[in-house]
Amino acid sequence: ASLPELHALLERIHEREAAESGTARDAWTRARGAAHVALARRGSRLGLYDLRESLEKTAVPLPVEFMAALSLIGDASCLEPVAAAYAHARGSGHDWWHEHLADAFRAIVAREKITRRHAVMKKIEKRWPAILTPA
């Protein structure tokens, strides 16, 4: 499938997910995560806004596919939502989620060559310093 077709599929899945509830919604969320991975594996950042928005809006852990896509294509704009989700995940009983958020954060920082002098890192250090210390 072409990148525009994959992006259109992602949008259709997101619409369907919003119309569902319970376990049906969870299945559509996992499908959306898989679509994000498909885009990310091709180096496309078409779904990046949706990834950031999903992190900002979620009160529960997202499927691991979201973290995989973030690790592949996330940029500096994703670091704050990841750090905020990491802070909220501490002590939640979802250790896997906490660890995947930290891994995605470190992957983005390394790939994008972001240092502590970068503005976003200074902001994160003030608001969510725990993500900057290795586990």
Side-chain angles (χ1 to χ4, degrees):
S2 70
L3 291 176
E5 289 171 333
L6 282 173
H7 188 249
L9 176 64
L10 176 69
E11 290 175 345
R12 285 194 302 270
I13 292 170
H14 191 54
E15 289 170 6
R16 182 66 188 264
E17 175 189 2
E20 297 291 340
S21 62
T23 57
R25 183 182 184 108
D26 293 342
W28 285 105
T29 302
R30 286 191 304 279
R32 185 162 56 101
H36 275 296
V37 170
L39 281 168
R41 283 190 177 149
R42 296 185 58 192
S44 173
R45 294 184 180 219
L46 286 172
L48 198 55
Y49 178 82
D50 183 63
L51 285 169
R52 279 193 314 264
E53 185 180 60
S54 297
L55 272 175
E56 291 169 348
K57 290 183 176 183
T58 191
V60 297
L62 292 169
V64 72
E65 290 85 359
F66 283 78
M67 297 300 97
L70 273 171
S71 293
L72 291 169
I73 61 159
D75 62 11
S77 70
C78 298
L79 293 176
E80 283 184 69
V82 171
Y86 179 87
H88 289 108
R90 286 188 90 170
S92 68
H94 298 289
D95 292 339
W96 69 270
W97 171 239
H98 196 247
E99 291 171 19
H100 281 297
L101 287 164
D103 290 344
F105 185 90
R106 286 190 291 273
I108 294 166
V109 167
R111 190 185 62 257
E112 299 289 315
K113 297 177 178 69
I114 297 170
T115 67
R116 287 192 182 240
R117 294 187 322 222
H118 195 281
V120 72
M121 293 298 272
K122 289 179 181 180
K123 187 174 184 180
I124 289 168
E125 190 168 25
K126 287 179 184 174
R127 294 187 70 190
W128 309 285
I131 198 163
L132 298 176
T133 53

